[in-house]
Amino acid sequence: MATFEDQVQQAVEARVIPGVILQASDAKGNFKYERAFGPKNSSEPMDLNATFIMASCTKLMTSIAALQCVERGQIKLDDAVSKVLPELKGLEIITGFAEDGSLTYQKAKTEITLRHLLTHSSGLGYHGMDPRYHKWRKDRGESYFIKGWSIIPRINTPLLFEPGTSWAYGTGLDWAGILVSRLNNLSLEAYMQKYVWAPLGVKNITFHQESHEGVRKNLVKMSIRKGLANPIFGFPERNNEKVDWTNELLYDIPIADEYGGEGAIGSATDYFKILQSILADDGKLLTSETIDEMFSPQLSEGGVKALDEYNNLPFYQGGGFASVQNGAKVDWGLGGELFLEDYFTGRKKGTLTWSGMTNLQWTIDRKAGICAFYASNLLPFGDFPSGDMQVKFEKEMYARAEKGSKL
């Protein structure tokens, strides 16, 4: 029977999935897994120095940074953020469409808090995920693109619901990154370097690959799934096509703004140090009390319902990458999706996890005492073969951690 490593190697050689880095460890150092598989680009093999577009895996780091500000007493979780982010004062909610096709609005009654920003319960969504934003942009005579926009015009949008009453994946962590920067009179890059990366010896994560040679030269070339109508930003689908290289870079280079929700580029092995620190509760980033709060349910009843609806989208239920299957009960913590019951891959109740657009996923399971990271540079998000492999990886890591293997 083929070993797990054999299965991954066969998949990357056949271009069923791109090159990947897979990492896992327990909290006590009895188990550690760290392997690179497949190609980094058309001429080099993947190695453990490889860097990736972190995309929404950036959100965990920004959540940690914001929670550090709470620990310092600079802001409370339930403080209105408008005193630091006046752009979020007095926002309107898009309530629907009138008979003539125009949008209807009403003033929000609730101030947005830091907790709302960190849990996607502020009412701020993503443009590409809601047709109401498409109409709003069109009415303003704007065309929206990922590249070429500065951060405030890009994320300064109306709300989709009353803050605190629902859930929508959106720009809350981008705003949280601006808040951290303004509270500390530092760029988000400088803040992360001083308070998140340096304490763990992280040297190869940045928002500015144009000025970080080590990150830039080790960046894994982006790949796409062939045979899709929109292989960059479209929906995935199951087909028999292989992955191929693309020159897509996702971000402007150089980039002027630092997006706390999606803008980091860096080393998977360095990022894993952050997961290990939170799992071990080593005090280097956050206190035990704050970590406990990270792993506590945060959403209202309406928020849980909206999150469930998101997880029930057809491609997730079909096994897309980072999907939540089998009607699993979930909530949101401060930094990621929180599982309220054991899950078939081995995750225990209380596991915190999230993913990134280029098909990366991190997991921190305090009850089982294990963290894991699956890193690739592949578009579009939700890739089915990658989802299949990530599930195999997670199951394998839980099984090996139980045996206390040290590889």
Side-chain angles (χ1 to χ4, degrees):
M1 182 176 177
T3 66
F4 169 71
E5 286 75 20
D6 290 339
Q7 293 177 60
V8 181
Q9 190 62 36
Q10 290 166 10
V12 296
E13 287 178 0
R15 303 298 286 159
V16 174
I17 61 171
V20 293
I21 287 180
L22 307 179
Q23 298 170 272
S25 74
D26 65 9
K28 298 179 180 179
N30 295 322
F31 166 73
K32 183 176 181 180
Y33 188 91
E34 189 175 62
R35 293 284 296 270
F37 294 90
K40 174 180 171 181
N41 52 45
S42 58
S43 61
E44 297 177 280
M46 185 75 76
D47 61 67
L48 293 174
N49 294 317
T51 58
F52 297 80
I53 301 295
M54 291 294 178
S56 286
C57 289
T58 308
K59 288 178 169 67
L60 177 63
M61 296 187 289
T62 302
S63 297
I64 291 168
L67 291 171
Q68 289 176 338
C69 295
V70 173
E71 290 187 346
R72 286 193 207 96
Q74 293 174 300
I75 191 170
K76 296 178 181 177
L77 274 171
D78 295 312
D79 281 351
V81 295
S82 58
K83 62 183 180 181
V84 184
L85 304 171
E87 298 93 341
L88 299 184
K89 182 77 172 178
L91 293 183
E92 289 186 317
I93 303 168
I94 302 175
T95 56
F97 294 89
E99 289 185 6
D100 64 0
S102 62
L103 292 171
T104 58
Y105 300 87
Q106 68 181 33
K107 280 282 188 182
K109 300 175 183 177
T110 307
E111 287 262 30
I112 294 173
T113 67
L114 179 56
R115 193 187 302 273
H116 293 150
L117 293 181
L118 299 184
T119 58
H120 300 288
S121 60
S122 66
L124 295 161
Y126 273 132
H127 172 271
M129 300 179 71
D130 197 288
R132 290 170 291 181
Y133 280 151
H134 301 174
K135 172 64 174 170
W136 178 74
R137 291 282 183 196
K138 184 178 180 181
D139 288 348
R140 292 160 60 89
E142 298 174 351
S143 296
Y144 179 87
F145 299 98
I146 282 189
K147 297 177 184 177
W149 275 68
S150 59
I151 189 168
I152 296 297
R154 181 181 175 193
I155 67 176
N156 195 11
T157 62
L159 305 180
L160 299 175
F161 53 81
E162 188 72 34
T165 65
S166 190
W167 183 93
Y169 196 49
T171 58
L173 272 298
D174 293 316
W175 283 110
I178 296 170
L179 179 139
V180 169
S181 177
R182 291 179 181 178
L183 283 175
N184 294 278
N185 196 30
L186 291 169
S187 69
L188 189 57
E189 172 95 6
Y191 182 93
M192 291 282 193
Q193 177 58 43
K194 185 173 183 179
Y195 296 108
V196 178
W197 301 332
L200 302 179
V202 169
K203 297 180 179 179
N204 288 299
I205 301 179
T206 184
F207 291 93
H208 296 281
Q209 58 177 302
E210 70 275 7
S211 57
H212 198 307
E213 184 182 358
V215 169
R216 186 176 65 255
K217 74 178 183 180
N218 287 315
L219 184 61
V220 175
K221 189 173 178 65
M222 188 65 69
S223 53
I224 56 171
R225 177 73 57 192
K226 294 163 58 176
L228 302 180
N230 187 344
I232 305 296
F233 302 117
F235 283 100
E237 59 186 62
R238 286 198 182 273
N239 62 28
N240 294 319
E241 298 285 354
K242 298 181 179 182
V243 295
D244 201 359
W245 307 117
T246 175
N247 291 323
E248 175 61 47
L249 299 173
L250 278 186
Y251 303 153
D252 290 322
I253 303 175
I255 193 163
D257 299 310
E258 298 159 354
Y259 288 82
E262 61 199 57
I265 307 98
S267 159
T269 54
D270 268 354
Y271 187 87
F272 193 66
K273 294 175 184 177
I274 297 169
L275 306 182
Q276 290 176 302
S277 178
I278 298 299
L279 175 67
D281 192 5
D282 59 14
K284 293 180 180 179
L285 296 179
L286 295 168
T287 65
S288 297
E289 292 76 15
T290 299
I291 292 176
D292 286 343
E293 186 66 22
M294 287 180 73
F295 287 77
S296 299
Q298 303 290 325
L299 297 181
S300 65
E301 182 178 344
V304 171
K305 181 180 178 182
L307 178 57
D308 286 341
E309 290 173 353
Y310 176 84
N311 284 328
N312 283 322
L313 290 171
F315 90 85
Y316 280 133
Q317 288 307 301
F321 187 85
S323 58
V324 177
Q325 301 175 52
N326 306 329
K329 293 181 181 179
V330 294
D331 204 295
W332 203 266
L334 298 175
E337 191 166 40
L338 184 69
F339 279 67
L340 303 182
E341 60 185 12
D342 293 353
Y343 194 57
F344 78 98
T345 60
R347 297 174 195 166
K348 305 302 181 186
K349 177 181 178 181
T351 295
L352 199 67
T353 181
W354 199 236
S355 53
M357 183 178 181
T358 54
N359 292 281
L360 315 98
Q361 184 170 22
W362 59 266
T363 303
I364 306 174
D365 183 342
R366 296 200 300 168
K367 186 174 180 180
I370 186 172
C371 59
F373 190 41
Y374 179 109
S376 71
N377 247 16
L378 171 68
L379 294 171
F381 177 71
D383 183 64
F384 288 103
S386 297
D388 296 340
M389 187 59 72
Q390 193 279 329
V391 167
K392 288 182 181 180
F393 163 61
E394 200 163 288
K395 286 181 175 180
E396 184 72 17
M397 293 304 102
Y398 274 95
R400 293 192 187 187
E402 277 189 18
K403 296 177 181 178
S405 302
K406 194 165 185 177
L407 301 176

